[in-house]
Amino acid sequence: MANYYRRKKDAVFHNAKPINSGNAQAYLYGVRKYSIGLAERLDADYQPPPSERKKSSDSTGSNNPEFTPSVFYRNIAPVNWFLRVIGVLPIVRRGPARAKFEMSSASFVYSVVFFMLLACYVGYVANNRIHIVRSLSGPFEEAVIAYLFLVNILPIMIIPILWWEARKIANLFNDWDDFEVLYYQISGHSLPLRLRQKALYIAIVLPILSVLSVVITHITMSDLNINQVVPYCILDNLTAMLGAWWFLICEAMSITAHLLAERFQKALKHIGPAAMVADYRVLWLRLSKLTRDTGNATCYTFVFMSLYLFFIITLSIYGLMSQLSEGFGIKDIGLTITALWNIGLLFYICDEAHYASVNVRTNFQKKLLMVELNWMNSDAQTEINMFLRATEMNPSTINCGGFFDVNRSLFKGLLTTMVTYLVVLLQFQISIPTDKGDGSDGGSNMTVVDLLMDSVSNDMTLMSSSRATTTAGTTPQPTASTKHARGHRG
């Protein structure tokens, strides 16, 4: 840090914007990236003089590596490409910090056409499933299993929701490009995420596992029809890859927070000016803003995803528990796969968001609290205290637009509510054979709707009989003297 000379007036502004990717080499020539006076020179394809170029190559060739733009976007690109293939995230990106959502773009037109075709296909499948539910006869748990295939169609609503949130997601990508420029200016090297290989494996393996789970579920729980399995595979891949996309974003924030904390701790081992601490504070504020914007940019999408996963898990676990009394059958294999797959997806969404929030705020606060202030000057001590105050006042939790915080508490709360609904459903299942206690053979051909209506009529009969008993108990009985008088009159 001996070369870290920075005047106090030369501050890093919070609303910094990156330069064009073609001018990225200007970083190596000592140009102040966020200076308003030099912004025009950067936009005008600024080239340093030959003397400065030679001096820069001799002095900074080894210490300042070449700037690599769009590190975050390149690391999550495989998952982004897969989502764009299935008509999600129609965002146009022509360079660093140039992502935008345009309704006249070819990407959005493709997304609309794909959605309309998929909606027609899903409508055809849903119509067949509705006919199956209407003609269903048997116990209540079989109806729940049939309803499970209808609920699996609901993720088609995520596509228009993501159209609504595409502008905010594009701004999130641009903010990551801005953060990478700021990180390069302060640290001297590009952001080392190294998530692209993991994203590539996810984009290949996860769709294969998703298709296998859907095919096994249809083989074990219903008659396998390839024409009706295809839309279920697309929609299941949609939810799975959105979970993977969320996982990669939270993982990128966790890695960035860890790298930032480690570099800040190493920087404090050397005596440097207070401006160095101020720069890291601004860099942390930008990372904290990225954490909050991640939840706000995808709030409606992941609120819908959380409710959908809660509904699917509840129905699948109920169908599994209601049939365990008869032994583990073939249908239970599909229910088990569905339950475990969606529980794992919900857990990773909540756990990765919790881990990112902890790394951005809590771990950074630990680094600040362990700093020894005795050897620092008063300006540096003031900056450390301001840094610690900033971590306390700026929340780093991932919040879905004010609906709820995405963390492990959300996962625990959903499971607790799920247990309550499972108890209610199991009690309702037990009450149906009690109401049909005659054991007549005619009940085998009755549908689930008939059973429900019969249960309601029995409840009404019990209520009317209890009212009649109450009325009879409150009616005054004739006394003995009245009866004796009437006898004399006769």
Side-chain angles (χ1 to χ4, degrees):
M1 288 298 159
N3 296 328
Y4 194 98
Y5 294 108
R6 188 78 57 82
R7 292 179 299 176
K8 294 180 65 177
K9 293 182 180 180
D10 195 11
V12 179
F13 295 98
H14 187 65
N15 57 350
K17 296 294 181 183
I19 62 174
N20 298 334
S21 59
N23 298 326
Q25 295 300 323
Y27 288 139
L28 304 180
Y29 306 133
V31 179
R32 186 65 181 170
K33 271 68 67 178
Y34 300 121
S35 174
I36 300 176
L38 294 176
E40 297 179 357
R41 295 168 62 187
L42 293 173
D43 291 336
D45 294 334
Y46 168 73
Q47 295 293 336
S51 60
E52 293 184 11
R53 189 179 310 170
K54 182 178 180 181
K55 180 180 179 181
S56 176
S57 61
D58 294 337
S59 60
T60 63
S62 60
N63 296 328
N64 293 329
E66 183 179 354
F67 173 70
T68 305
S70 306
V71 176
F72 169 77
Y73 189 83
R74 292 179 181 180
N75 276 267
I76 66 171
V79 177
N80 270 336
W81 293 338
F82 187 92
L83 290 175
R84 292 185 65 179
V85 168
I86 59 176
V88 185
L89 294 181
I91 297 174
V92 179
R93 189 175 184 274
R94 298 182 177 89
R98 294 181 180 179
K100 61 176 62 177
F101 171 71
E102 296 178 351
M103 299 185 67
S104 59
S105 63
S107 178
F108 181 71
V109 173
Y110 168 78
S111 180
V112 172
V113 173
F114 185 88
F115 173 74
M116 293 177 64
L117 295 176
L118 182 62
C120 295
Y121 203 166
V122 168
Y124 166 74
V125 175
N127 186 32
N128 292 334
R129 290 294 173 183
I130 290 173
H131 284 300
I132 293 174
V133 171
R134 286 180 177 177
S135 61
L136 189 65
S137 61
F140 179 68
E141 57 269 17
E142 291 186 3
V144 172
I145 295 174
Y147 293 144
L148 189 62
F149 288 96
L150 286 175
V151 177
N152 283 327
I153 299 175
L154 293 179
I156 194 175
M157 299 301 299
I158 295 178
I159 298 179
I161 293 175
L162 282 171
W163 293 347
W164 177 263
E165 296 183 331
R167 297 184 189 277
K168 295 185 291 183
I169 297 174
N171 292 331
L172 179 65
F173 291 161
N174 295 335
D175 290 341
W176 267 102
D177 291 330
D178 298 347
F179 176 82
E180 291 172 17
V181 173
L182 185 60
Y183 182 89
Y184 177 84
Q185 178 187 6
I186 295 175
S187 64
H189 60 82
S190 300
L191 186 63
L193 286 180
R194 297 183 179 89
L195 287 173
R196 185 177 177 84
Q197 188 175 6
K198 183 184 293 186
L200 187 61
Y201 288 155
I202 290 175
I204 296 174
V205 176
L206 194 61
I208 297 175
L209 294 178
S210 177
V211 171
L212 287 177
S213 66
V214 172
V215 171
I216 293 174
T217 301
H218 280 74
I219 291 175
T220 57
M221 296 177 60
S222 64
D223 296 333
L224 180 62
N225 189 347
I226 301 298
N227 295 329
Q228 296 188 6
V229 170
V230 172
Y232 286 105
C233 292
I234 296 174
L235 296 177
D236 198 71
N237 273 302
L238 172 60
T239 57
M241 296 305 291
L242 278 177
W245 183 75
W246 177 272
F247 168 81
L248 291 173
I249 292 178
C250 294
E251 189 73 11
M253 288 187 293
S254 300
I255 294 174
T256 304
H258 178 73
L259 292 173
L260 187 60
E262 292 297 326
R263 291 195 63 85
F264 179 69
Q265 188 176 22
K266 291 180 180 179
L268 290 177
K269 294 180 181 179
H270 304 273
I271 300 176
M276 179 185 65
V277 183
D279 288 347
Y280 275 95
R281 174 165 54 88
V282 172
L283 191 58
W284 182 88
L285 288 173
R286 294 294 294 270
L287 182 61
S288 177
K289 184 177 181 296
L290 285 175
T291 306
R292 296 191 301 270
D293 290 345
T294 300
N296 294 328
T298 57
C299 59
Y300 298 108
T301 300
F302 282 94
V303 166
F304 182 86
M305 279 272 294
S306 301
L307 295 176
Y308 164 74
L309 292 176
F310 169 78
F311 200 11
I312 284 290
I313 295 170
T314 304
L315 290 179
S316 57
I317 293 180
Y318 168 73
L320 183 62
M321 294 178 63
S322 61
Q323 292 188 348
L324 286 180
S325 59
E326 301 177 359
F328 194 84
I330 297 178
K331 290 185 178 180
D332 297 332
I333 298 176
L335 291 172
T336 304
I337 293 175
T338 303
L340 293 178
W341 179 269
N342 291 282
I343 288 175
L345 181 58
L346 181 61
F347 172 76
Y348 273 105
I349 290 174
C350 298
D351 185 70
E352 282 299 320
H354 177 85
Y355 185 65
S357 301
V358 169
N359 280 323
V360 171
R361 184 177 183 180
T362 306
N363 291 346
F364 224 101
Q365 286 179 338
K366 292 179 181 179
K367 301 290 185 183
L368 290 173
L369 292 173
M370 295 174 63
V371 173
E372 295 182 1
L373 303 178
N374 297 330
W375 56 273
M376 293 185 179
N377 54 25
S378 59
D379 292 339
Q381 292 181 9
T382 302
E383 290 294 339
I384 291 293
N385 292 329
M386 291 178 63
F387 200 163
L388 186 59
R389 186 68 181 272
T391 58
E392 294 176 355
M393 296 182 63
N394 289 273
S396 300
T397 56
I398 300 179
N399 185 279
C400 284
F403 290 102
F404 48 78
D405 293 336
V406 185
N407 49 29
R408 292 174 182 172
S409 298
L410 174 64
F411 183 74
K412 181 187 68 176
L414 290 177
L415 288 184
T416 304
T417 308
M418 194 182 306
V419 170
T420 304
Y421 280 100
L422 286 174
V423 171
V424 173
L425 287 172
L426 290 174
Q427 287 178 346
F428 182 75
Q429 179 195 358
I430 295 172
S431 67
I432 292 178
T434 304
D435 294 335
K436 299 297 293 181
D438 296 334
S440 58
D441 296 335
S444 59
N445 296 326
M446 297 182 66
T447 63
V448 177
V449 178
D450 296 332
L451 291 174
L452 293 176
M453 295 301 297
D454 195 16
S455 177
V456 172
S457 63
N458 289 337
D459 293 338
M460 296 298 294
T461 304
L462 292 174
M463 291 176 61
S464 61
S465 62
S466 61
R467 290 179 180 176
T469 305
T470 305
T471 305
T474 56
T475 303
Q477 299 294 330
T479 60
S481 60
T482 305
K483 292 180 180 180
H484 182 71
R486 291 179 179 174
H488 283 292
R489 289 178 184 176

